[in-house]
Amino acid sequence: MSYRHAVSGVTYAFDGLADVMAKASPLRSGDVLAGVAASSAQQHVAAKMVLADTPLKAFLAEPLVPYETDDVTRLILDGHDMAAFAPVSALTVGEFRDWLLSPIATSETLADVAAGLTPEMAAAVSKIMRNQDLILAASKIRVTTRFRNTIGLPGTMAVRLQPNHPTDDPVGIAASIVDGLLYGCGDAVIGLNPASDNLTLLGDLVRRMDDLIQGFDIPTQSCVLTHLTTTIQLIERGAPVDLVFQSIAGTQAANASFGVTLSLLREGLDAGRSLGRGVLGDNLMYFETGQGSALSAGAHHGVDQQTLEARAYGVARAFAPLLVNTVVGFIGPEYLYDGKQIIRAGLEDHFCGKLLGAPLGVDVCYTNHAEADQDDMDTLLTLLAAAGVTFVMGVPGADDVMLNYQSTSFHDALYVRELLGLKRSPEFEAWLQAMAITGRDGRLAELQAGHPLLALAG
């Protein structure tokens, strides 16, 4: 297939579908760093025109990363569902955009077609969509998962309670957990990034969080976000592990840089399910991703970072996760330079992940050396909540003192829930009311002296 288009009397030719995809991407510093970005606005427009006229079927015939050498490509193509693809199989990328925004594309229709879409198709259509298109289309899509509660229902937005501590101090962690619970956060997961990889210490942290959840009968789940192999060892030692975590990427080589393979992910899933700790379901994998991870590992194959990010969601959905989130601004300005690029990337990631059937949340965040600030994060949080984001982060003061980056706070979650009338997981909402933390309207109640959670905080 020939990829050419004329703009202002100049014909632009592209070297294959991967080149079209890269040149059609909205500007971001990572693609410039990789040498794949469009060199001019005219070339960018030409690439978008070519992409809009490209049949969706072309992505099945022309893999962007070689099938023979990449297990993620094989996972995507070997698992492709032609029957689910049938309703959109005759469309071009541009026609697919129109279809997504039309009344035909209902929540039910989009759920039915998800298995027939490849990550490359999702990435392609996102590149020719405006921000409002990404928000509207994503708002139609619902991906519901269950472990001890139900996440992703219409009209809800969950929050990961992130009680990180620079020395893994149990008292400091407990104080952050109580702080988050009293602000109505934690229905997605109580998820701790440990500073240590010591198995004994990690096992103690897992047990402490489990004691808290079981002792107060909280309908949520815990996770220590350590490497998959470490989690498997914890399970073998009898630790009460709920969710199995791993960072993943969109190519085999990038995943290898994380020390994981697809078979190891399957081993982790099987290990987690062997414990039978789910009450309402067995969605127990927790994946984190982020644009630029493949490039930073030298494993991008000349493909743009947003397409590779979508491929990471193709990996995630194969393992029926409870949670997937893009840590959108965490890698730094080398990949997403400023607030504008972070906002666009967050909306793209959310749309692509949900379109593919992944329960997508977003860590609305930035590093301190990026050209961004908390106002940018307020904007992205509000847009994502309008788009139906599955969950966001709850960090004390929005400042992660262990990972040293800026995210969203417990107060931010209150703001957006009140603004848009978003509820928590229904099981968690009922628990908050029973604990007199919120009233029946979901708003925080006046906390009474002697509340049992206060004693836990010391």
Side-chain angles (χ1 to χ4, degrees):
M1 183 172 176
S2 176
Y3 300 106
R4 294 172 171 270
H5 192 82
V7 175
S8 301
V10 178
T11 298
Y12 293 90
F14 301 94
D15 186 21
L17 194 48
D19 192 36
V20 174
M21 292 278 277
K23 301 298 189 291
S25 280
L27 178 66
R28 61 208 57 201
S29 53
D31 289 339
V32 174
L33 180 65
V36 301
S39 59
S40 67
Q42 291 86 348
Q43 188 185 41
H44 173 64
V45 169
K48 291 178 73 171
M49 295 298 293
V50 169
L51 188 57
D53 290 337
T54 299
L56 290 178
K57 289 180 178 178
F59 294 97
L60 300 176
E62 187 178 335
L64 305 190
V65 181
Y67 179 93
E68 296 76 15
T69 58
D70 188 86
D71 61 3
V72 174
T73 299
R74 294 194 292 274
L75 175 72
I76 291 167
L77 293 181
D78 293 349
H80 182 250
D81 187 332
M82 286 299 295
F85 182 51
V88 297
S89 62
L91 302 181
T92 64
V93 173
E95 291 168 340
F96 184 43
R97 170 194 173 273
D98 295 342
W99 183 88
L100 287 168
L101 298 174
S102 75
I104 299 172
T106 63
S107 297
E108 294 75 21
T109 305
L110 290 166
D112 290 342
V113 81
L117 301 175
T118 68
E120 291 83 355
M121 296 174 192
V125 73
S126 75
K127 294 177 191 299
I128 63 168
M129 296 171 83
R130 290 172 56 187
N131 286 2
Q132 66 174 248
D133 299 337
L134 297 172
I135 294 167
L136 178 59
S139 72
K140 301 181 183 184
I141 307 168
R142 284 293 156 189
V143 181
T144 305
T145 57
R146 294 175 175 86
F147 189 74
R148 286 204 189 94
N149 58 10
T150 307
I151 295 171
L153 292 172
T156 67
M157 183 194 75
V159 176
R160 169 188 161 186
L161 201 170
Q162 186 168 309
N164 296 347
H165 191 280
T167 63
D168 292 330
D169 177 62
V171 176
I173 291 169
S176 292
I177 292 175
V178 171
D179 190 22
L181 291 173
L182 293 179
Y183 275 103
C185 296
D187 46 346
V189 62
I190 301 174
L192 172 72
N193 296 92
S196 171
D197 59 1
N198 179 277
L199 272 173
T200 301
L201 174 61
L202 296 180
D204 180 62
L205 292 173
V206 169
R207 281 184 285 273
R208 285 174 181 271
M209 289 198 291
D210 184 60
D211 288 346
L212 171 65
I213 289 172
Q214 302 300 333
F216 286 91
D217 198 24
I218 309 173
T220 190
Q221 35 283 325
S222 69
C223 184
V224 171
L225 282 70
T226 188
H227 192 271
L228 176 60
T229 54
T230 304
T231 303
I232 292 173
Q233 291 180 68
L234 289 172
I235 291 171
E236 291 171 345
R237 290 187 174 199
V241 171
D242 287 341
L243 304 190
V244 176
F245 169 80
Q246 183 56 49
S247 294
I248 58 171
T251 69
Q252 179 177 340
N255 284 322
S257 76
F258 290 141
V260 295
T261 62
L262 297 182
S263 61
L264 186 60
L265 293 176
R266 177 61 60 184
E267 182 181 345
L269 174 61
D270 292 341
R273 285 183 172 172
S274 72
L275 299 180
R277 294 176 59 80
V279 175
L280 300 182
D282 62 357
N283 302 120
L284 55 78
M285 298 299 285
Y286 177 13
F287 295 120
E288 284 191 345
T289 67
Q291 287 194 28
S293 58
L295 175 58
S296 67
H300 63 294
H301 297 273
V303 178
D304 69 273
Q305 66 184 40
Q306 189 257 331
T307 298
L308 294 180
E309 173 71 5
R311 282 168 56 94
Y313 307 144
V315 174
R317 70 174 175 181
F319 297 91
L322 180 75
L323 305 168
V324 181
N325 75 266
T326 168
V327 194
V328 65
F330 183 74
I331 302 182
E334 299 85 355
Y335 305 95
L336 295 170
Y337 179 73
D338 56 15
K340 180 179 177 66
Q341 292 188 14
I342 292 171
I343 289 168
R344 174 68 190 191
L347 295 176
E348 289 171 347
D349 293 353
H350 177 250
F351 163 77
C352 289
K354 287 178 68 178
L355 184 62
L356 294 169
L360 232 290
V362 179
D363 189 343
V364 178
C365 64
Y366 64 102
T367 57
N368 288 315
H369 62 307
E371 291 293 325
D373 58 27
Q374 212 65 37
D375 285 337
D376 295 317
M377 300 306 103
D378 288 349
T379 298
L380 179 54
L381 173 63
T382 305
L383 295 176
L384 286 167
V389 69
T390 304
F391 69 105
V392 296
M393 305 299 122
V395 178
D399 183 2
D400 192 301
V401 295
M402 196 281 281
L403 293 174
N404 292 310
Y405 79 115
Q406 309 304 309
S407 185
T408 46
S409 70
F410 306 140
H411 303 78
D412 295 333
L414 282 180
Y415 144 72
V416 79
R417 280 170 166 163
E418 181 173 347
L419 176 70
L420 299 177
L422 298 172
K423 297 185 179 298
R424 303 164 182 91
S425 159
E427 299 86 359
F428 193 78
E429 194 89 67
W431 178 81
L432 290 172
Q433 292 176 18
M435 291 291 290
I437 295 172
T438 64
R440 290 188 176 277
D441 59 1
R443 293 171 178 259
L444 294 184
E446 183 176 349
L447 201 63
Q448 300 300 310
H451 193 284
L453 280 174
L454 292 179
L456 179 68

